[in-house]
Amino acid sequence: MELATLALCFMIGMLCLRHDRLYAGASAERSATPKGLGMLGRSRDTVDAMAARLLIYLRQDPRKLVSYPLLLVVVILYAIIFRQMPMMLWLGPIVGAWVLEVPEGNALAYDGLALRMEIASGVKGREDRLSRVRSHLSVALPCILLLGLVTLVFSGAMKGGPDLVISLDMLAATIGLLLSGLGVAQVFSALLIYPVPSMDQPFTSPQGRAVAQGFLPMLQLLASLVIMLPTVLVALPAMITGGILPLWLPVPVALANGLIVLAVGVALGSRIFDRRQSAILLTLDRYASLQS
């Protein structure tokens, strides 16, 4: 019975191999017709292709995906703490947008040795930075807008009056902080890389450069705050009772502040990436050996 079973399994295996050789290859060739660049449709643009790759990686990477549920946790936490002060609920989206950019500040380490293929294909620094901005904003911006809408409802500002204008100011400041933090991240990720956990063990502590792992994220967060100082200098006089500035003025200032920092961050990050490609690959090789 054992010999008969082995012979039967062998025959079935050979039939499956024969079927794959004759039919599976042909069907794969028929299905390999070019259909654009994956998740971003039929565009042939390099930035779109790279952004699609980053979105696919994000969907499979628990190290970065965990940041998004934390946004909801932060909002709920502030809603509990400040339930008697509805306008303080805006601290939730603001802190969430602020912290959400920390993984982007070390994005090349999360890519790891997959970055070799990108550099070997001759991708320019500007294309790399733009693809990271596009992929990140396509996920982060809708999340922040949704949290802002929820906060707007629960703060009671939908009734109108000054609270509604202040809430719109806070929403604009949140979006501006998201944009400026992303701009700062484009510089940090090309200039200062530190180890991250491997994808197989996402919640372990990576080895090497323990000081950098704690200090560099804090430095990035501080830079994101300091660089939004123009918005703060406009928002405080406008929101104080009897302020000398219009109450709506922080909205355009915050958005402009964020967009300008993002544009400058992409430009600087592109130059740094082009200049440090070899050093970046050497660093990622060294960190890969720490994960093994």
Side-chain angles (χ1 to χ4, degrees):
M1 291 295 295
E2 291 177 356
L3 291 175
T5 302
L6 288 173
L8 179 61
C9 292
F10 178 77
M11 292 174 60
I12 293 174
M14 294 302 295
L15 288 173
C16 291
L17 288 174
R18 183 174 183 275
H19 179 273
D20 288 344
R21 187 177 70 253
L22 295 178
Y23 300 102
S27 61
E29 290 178 1
R30 289 194 297 270
S31 63
T33 305
K35 295 182 180 179
L37 296 173
M39 297 175 65
L40 293 183
R42 298 180 178 274
S43 173
R44 298 287 179 177
D45 184 63
T46 303
V47 175
D48 284 351
M50 294 169 59
R53 176 184 73 84
L54 293 170
L55 288 172
I56 293 171
Y57 280 17
L58 175 63
R59 187 176 60 186
Q60 301 172 349
D61 192 345
R63 300 170 299 176
K64 298 178 73 173
L65 275 178
V66 71
S67 302
Y68 293 94
L70 285 178
L71 289 176
L72 183 60
V73 173
V74 170
V75 171
I76 294 174
L77 180 63
Y78 278 103
I80 295 173
I81 296 175
F82 297 109
R83 58 184 178 275
Q84 302 299 328
M85 296 178 286
M87 295 307 296
M88 295 296 291
L89 296 180
W90 283 103
L91 284 176
I94 289 176
V95 172
W98 183 42
V99 176
L100 190 61
E101 303 305 330
V102 171
E104 287 301 307
N106 198 28
L108 299 184
Y110 284 101
D111 270 13
L113 298 181
L115 194 69
R116 285 176 175 173
M117 180 178 63
E118 177 182 314
I119 293 178
S121 62
V123 171
K124 298 179 181 178
R126 181 172 178 79
E127 294 171 336
D128 176 84
R129 301 293 95 180
L130 288 176
S131 67
R132 295 182 187 279
V133 168
R134 186 175 300 181
S135 62
H136 181 70
L137 287 182
S138 66
V139 179
L141 188 57
C143 291
I144 292 299
L145 290 175
L146 180 59
L147 289 180
L149 180 61
V150 171
T151 305
L152 190 65
V153 172
F154 283 99
S155 65
M158 296 295 288
K159 299 176 182 178
D163 285 349
L164 178 58
V165 182
I166 293 176
S167 294
L168 293 177
D169 290 341
M170 300 299 287
L171 178 59
T174 303
I175 297 173
L177 186 59
L178 179 73
L179 297 174
S180 69
L182 185 56
V184 172
Q186 300 314 302
V187 178
F188 270 69
S189 65
L191 187 61
L192 303 170
I193 305 174
Y194 51 91
V196 295
S198 66
M199 192 179 294
D200 296 331
Q201 298 176 326
F203 303 110
T204 59
S205 298
Q207 303 178 27
R209 295 200 176 185
V211 176
Q213 295 164 25
F215 174 71
L216 292 180
M218 294 302 299
L219 183 62
Q220 178 188 344
L221 291 175
L222 180 61
S224 301
L225 279 182
V226 171
I227 215 159
M228 286 295 289
L229 189 59
T231 299
V232 176
L233 294 178
V234 171
L236 288 180
M239 292 182 183
I240 295 175
T241 304
I244 58 175
L245 297 177
L247 194 56
W248 53 265
L249 188 59
V251 173
V253 172
L255 296 177
N257 195 169
L259 288 172
I260 291 172
V261 173
L262 179 58
V264 173
V266 168
L268 290 178
S270 301
R271 294 183 179 182
I272 296 172
F273 182 85
D274 286 333
R275 190 172 63 248
R276 298 191 68 247
Q277 286 186 1
S278 299
I280 288 172
L281 286 180
L282 289 174
T283 302
L284 295 179
D285 280 332
R286 186 165 63 252
Y287 292 164
S289 65
L290 294 176
Q291 294 176 349
S292 60

